[in-house]
Amino acid sequence: MTPAIQALMATALLAAAPAATTKQPALAPTRAPATAPAAARSAAPAGGPAFLPTRLDGEPWRLGGLTGLAFLEGQTGFALRGDAERPLAQLGPRTRALGLVSLGTALWSTDERVEPGFGIVSETKGWSALFSVIPAVRLTHQLDPRTTLYGDSGLGLAYAAADIESTVRAPGLPEVRTSAGASGLGAVLRFAGGLSYDIDARLRLSAEAGLAFHYGEVRGTVTSLLVGAAWRP
């Protein structure tokens, strides 16, 4: 190889060396931008609550009536109740709080005849009645556009009255007849729950089970099973 050719090769090698040392690898990491794009920043959640409770002003009252059975100390009676309810607040997309006033009565009757033997006959007849006025709060949860689950809790006043007459007859002896009556006023704490179904925008049907605890001069626990209807003007 001539000296001229060797000099040309050396010059070419020296020119290629800087380019080889400064070439960046194909997968070299790049530094992330300091700030996210504007579209990404605008898509971030604001962090506020999904729902805020609101008052319901101006909605009309709904009037209704229920009837069914009332159970007290092993006796089964007849129950009748009238309700007036009005929405108070929207607690959630499907949950509401309502104000409720109930006027109710329950009636029981007694008619017993006992023959212990030897011609002796004992008869007992009587009745008892319970009247109540209960303001309450009702929470409702809509299961679908027509069906609603609800629960009540209320504290009110109760008045009870009773009258019993007993007659005892025995052969050869005069008839013995006694009677007694009593009345009293007390407090009542009621819990109830039920299911309602809207026939249309105004008419609603419902079924309910409840417990009422009585204190004061009126004592006892009344269990009730009621069905009814309500109407909104």
Side-chain angles (χ1 to χ4, degrees):
M1 180 180 297
T2 63
I5 295 176
Q6 291 180 353
L8 290 173
M9 293 180 62
T11 302
L13 290 173
L14 290 174
T21 57
T22 58
K23 186 178 181 181
Q24 296 292 332
L27 298 178
T30 59
R31 185 176 180 182
T35 59
R41 291 196 303 269
S42 63
F51 186 88
L52 291 175
T54 56
R55 292 182 58 182
L56 299 175
D57 296 326
E59 292 205 13
W61 287 84
R62 186 186 295 269
L63 304 178
L66 298 97
T67 185
L69 301 177
F71 307 94
L72 174 64
E73 298 179 354
Q75 290 187 323
T76 302
F78 169 76
L80 183 65
R81 195 180 85 205
D83 288 348
E85 67 174 43
R86 184 180 184 275
L88 298 179
Q90 188 79 32
L91 304 180
R94 297 186 177 184
T95 305
R96 281 185 166 192
L98 295 85
L100 178 71
V101 179
S102 298
L103 302 177
T105 183
L107 303 173
W108 293 270
S109 62
T110 301
D111 190 352
E112 298 179 351
R113 178 184 174 93
V114 179
E115 298 183 12
F118 305 103
I120 300 175
V121 177
S122 174
E123 295 180 346
T124 302
K125 297 182 180 181
W127 58 268
S128 58
L130 180 65
F131 306 92
S132 61
V133 180
I134 305 175
V137 174
R138 170 171 290 177
L139 297 180
T140 66
H141 181 74
Q142 192 176 37
L143 301 179
D144 59 47
R146 290 180 178 268
T147 309
T148 301
L149 185 69
Y150 68 87
D152 298 349
S153 177
L155 179 65
L157 294 176
Y159 173 80
D163 186 80
I164 298 177
E165 183 177 291
S166 298
T167 303
V168 178
R169 294 188 295 271
L173 296 175
E175 182 179 273
V176 178
R177 178 174 297 181
T178 58
S179 62
S183 62
L185 185 67
V188 54
L189 177 64
R190 190 189 73 195
F191 300 98
L195 197 69
S196 65
Y197 183 81
D198 291 342
I199 301 298
D200 54 34
R202 293 186 174 184
L203 180 60
R204 172 178 295 173
L205 304 180
S206 61
E208 177 185 303
L211 281 174
F213 303 93
H214 295 81
Y215 306 94
E217 296 178 353
V218 180
R219 294 183 178 272
T221 301
V222 177
T223 305
S224 60
L225 296 174
L226 307 175
V227 294
W231 174 264
R232 183 174 64 185

